[in-house]
Amino acid sequence: MNGLVLTGGSSSRMGRPKCLLEYQGAPQYRRAAELLSPVCENVWLSCRDEQKNWFSGFDWVLDQPAYGEIGPMNGLLSAFDLQPDTPWFVLGCDYPLLTHSEIEQLISERNPQQIATVFASADNSGPEPLIGIYEPSAATLLQDAWQSGQDSLRRILDAHRAMKIVARHPEHLLSVDTPEAYQRIQKGM
């Protein structure tokens, strides 16, 4: 299984790159990669071409311009283009409270017969698409969805009945994507 840390977002709500924000003394992209390293054969950073120089010492998967501005789905499609027969453990760069416990829970409850194993969102509104294991069977479904104009990973996961598990610590699934949330997290650490 490969790891894919999603770092290529525009961070429009944060106003600066979320992947470079520091939590517990390390930039978030590095912390996310460190969470995946013990359980993944290789860990790649998904980014746009103009961002690749931010990440010395890491391999990256570049968002492919052909896919357009479709957010995290570009990173996942680009990863499957690179290695279509390998499962990808996808992790967004904006989950500072995530721990090894959540990573291990996803792996232990993984169902390789589904297109993906993901957490149910903290508010139980659907799947949390940016913390999950995407199986090789997802590659074709994602390509088909993209070609038909669908770029919502959440909708694709719902439509194809991805395995959704309940996190033992749902508070660890908090996505930090605004300056206010970042300040609250920094004060609480």
Side-chain angles (χ1 to χ4, degrees):
M1 175 166 43
N2 284 326
L4 185 69
V5 178
L6 299 170
T7 66
S10 62
S11 299
S12 56
R13 286 178 283 183
M14 182 62 74
R16 58 185 170 150
K18 292 184 287 188
C19 62
L20 300 178
L21 294 175
E22 292 213 1
Y23 297 98
Q24 300 176 350
Q28 186 58 16
Y29 76 87
R30 182 174 304 279
R31 190 175 169 284
E34 288 171 357
L35 284 172
L36 294 179
S37 289
V39 297
C40 294
E41 188 173 328
N42 299 298
V43 176
W44 305 73
L45 302 183
S46 169
C47 63
R48 297 187 316 269
D49 187 55
E50 66 270 14
Q51 296 172 314
K52 65 185 178 189
N53 294 327
W54 297 354
F55 311 115
S56 63
F58 285 91
D59 292 322
W60 57 80
V61 175
L62 294 179
D63 285 357
Q64 296 303 304
Y67 292 127
E69 297 291 324
I70 58 171
M73 191 159 157
N74 191 321
L76 193 50
L77 284 166
S78 299
F80 275 122
D81 284 349
L82 181 70
Q83 292 189 11
D85 298 324
T86 303
W88 287 91
F89 196 127
V90 173
L91 178 55
C93 69
D94 53 352
Y95 296 93
L97 301 179
L98 209 65
T99 68
H100 286 286
S101 176
E102 285 78 39
I103 302 299
E104 291 167 5
Q105 183 183 2
L106 269 177
I107 291 170
S108 70
E109 297 186 35
R110 174 184 176 198
N111 183 347
Q113 304 308 311
Q114 301 292 332
I115 67 161
T117 301
V118 296
F119 285 116
S121 61
D123 64 3
N124 226 4
S125 62
E128 181 54 62
L130 305 186
I131 309 171
I133 301 168
Y134 287 77
E135 303 297 338
S137 62
T140 301
L141 293 172
L142 292 170
Q143 275 289 340
D144 291 347
W146 170 71
Q147 289 176 353
S148 68
Q150 173 63 260
D151 64 3
S152 168
L153 289 173
R154 181 170 278 167
R155 285 191 191 120
I156 294 165
L157 292 171
D158 270 339
H160 295 281
R161 295 191 177 104
M163 177 77 172
K164 289 183 278 197
I165 62 174
V166 176
R168 292 183 198 114
H169 301 284
E171 67 277 10
H172 292 178
L173 305 183
L174 176 69
S175 172
V176 175
D177 57 6
T178 65
E180 297 78 23
Y182 179 60
Q183 289 173 355
R184 280 194 304 275
I185 288 293
Q186 289 294 82
K187 288 178 185 175
M189 290 184 137

